[in-house]
Amino acid sequence: MTKVKDLVFPSLPYAYNALEPHIDAMTMEIHYTRHHKAYFDNLNAAVKDSPMADLSFDELLANISKYPVAVRNNGGGHFNHELFWSVMSPNGGGKPGGELLKAIEKDFGSFEAFQELFNNAAKTRFGSGWAWLAVKADKSLAVCSTPNQDNPLMDVSECKGTPILGLDVWEHAYYLKYQNKRPDYVAAFWNIINWAQVEKNYAKAL
Ligand code: MN
């Protein structure tokens, strides 16, 4: 994977208003240009002139307990948001296909049962954090949530694996449109999931 010092701030793969009405344009613009950009800039500042800059990004995340908390928060913040933008699309929604759907049905019983688990993970994460669909070391699927900007790649995470779908449940991700109604935001997310990308992430994680 890319060395930490060679990470680039990714371009957003669609316009700020592309995910309307599910995610409003102002939330997208602020989230991408200010929140994600700040995590990216603060990560670079935290690793500058340090041996951490020469590590691969996945190695840094996998051993995050060894590094300063600013690297954990901002490194997670950068990774998580880059994944988040990529798993949404104005042409999203519906259900996955192929091997991913088969694996979801095998590991959770049905797509609907998986949705309920994911919704509960997103809704019950107290305070700020993320809900995930991840591929575990044994290649089975898991749904879980992590606090703050942690993610399943980190050695500190209670839930370990390769995240293939993530939902940001920080208030900055939904407050302008949904205020305190996180469950409505979580429900709307299903309309914009880019399953083609999640299927690619799944194939890569196997
Ligand atoms: Mn965010």
Side-chain angles (χ1 to χ4, degrees):
M1 207 191 203
T2 313
K3 283 188 179 183
V4 177
K5 66 180 179 189
D6 297 327
L7 291 171
V8 292
F9 188 63
S11 55
L12 197 65
Y14 34 74
Y16 297 132
N17 66 359
L19 304 178
E20 296 256 15
H22 310 293
I23 299 182
D24 62 285
M26 182 168 283
T27 295
M28 283 302 299
E29 181 171 0
I30 293 171
H31 201 173
Y32 171 73
T33 63
R34 302 195 209 168
H35 292 277
H36 185 182
K37 186 65 162 54
Y39 295 124
F40 181 78
D41 291 345
N42 291 336
L43 171 64
N44 283 317
V47 301
K48 196 170 186 297
D49 303 323
S50 143
M52 290 183 284
D54 286 307
L55 296 173
S56 71
F57 192 32
D58 52 353
E59 193 183 350
L60 181 83
L61 294 172
N63 297 289
I64 203 72
S65 61
K66 295 184 193 167
Y67 303 113
V69 70
V71 176
R72 174 173 170 179
N73 290 339
N74 293 293
H78 173 58
F79 178 91
N80 297 348
H81 287 84
E82 185 166 33
L83 177 69
F84 185 48
W85 311 137
S86 75
V87 296
M88 296 189 289
S89 163
N91 305 310
K95 286 165 78 162
E99 294 305 309
L100 177 57
L101 182 61
K102 282 186 209 162
I104 285 172
E105 289 172 344
K106 177 172 171 281
D107 292 333
F108 305 116
S110 67
F111 182 72
E112 291 70 28
F114 153 68
Q115 281 185 298
E116 192 178 342
L117 281 174
F118 190 91
N119 285 339
N120 285 338
K123 288 189 276 193
T124 60
R125 165 51 54 194
F126 186 74
S128 298
W130 290 75
W132 304 104
L133 174 62
V135 180
K136 294 193 285 189
D138 68 3
K139 305 302 179 190
S140 66
L141 294 169
V143 166
C144 60
S145 78
T146 52
N148 304 315
Q149 294 295 351
D150 288 355
N151 68 47
L153 294 173
M154 293 179 174
D155 60 354
V156 292
S157 178
E158 282 176 28
C159 125
K160 287 191 190 61
T162 304
I164 62 173
L165 173 69
L167 174 60
D168 189 343
V169 297
W170 283 58
E171 283 189 345
H172 69 224
Y174 63 86
Y175 204 84
L176 293 180
K177 182 177 171 73
Y178 296 95
Q179 295 84 47
N180 61 322
K181 293 174 285 198
R182 188 194 288 182
D184 291 357
Y185 161 71
V186 173
F189 180 60
W190 297 98
N191 297 310
I192 47 174
I193 297 177
N194 180 353
W195 285 114
Q197 183 60 47
V198 182
E199 286 172 37
K200 278 186 209 164
N201 296 343
Y202 177 62
K204 207 172 150 191
L206 290 179

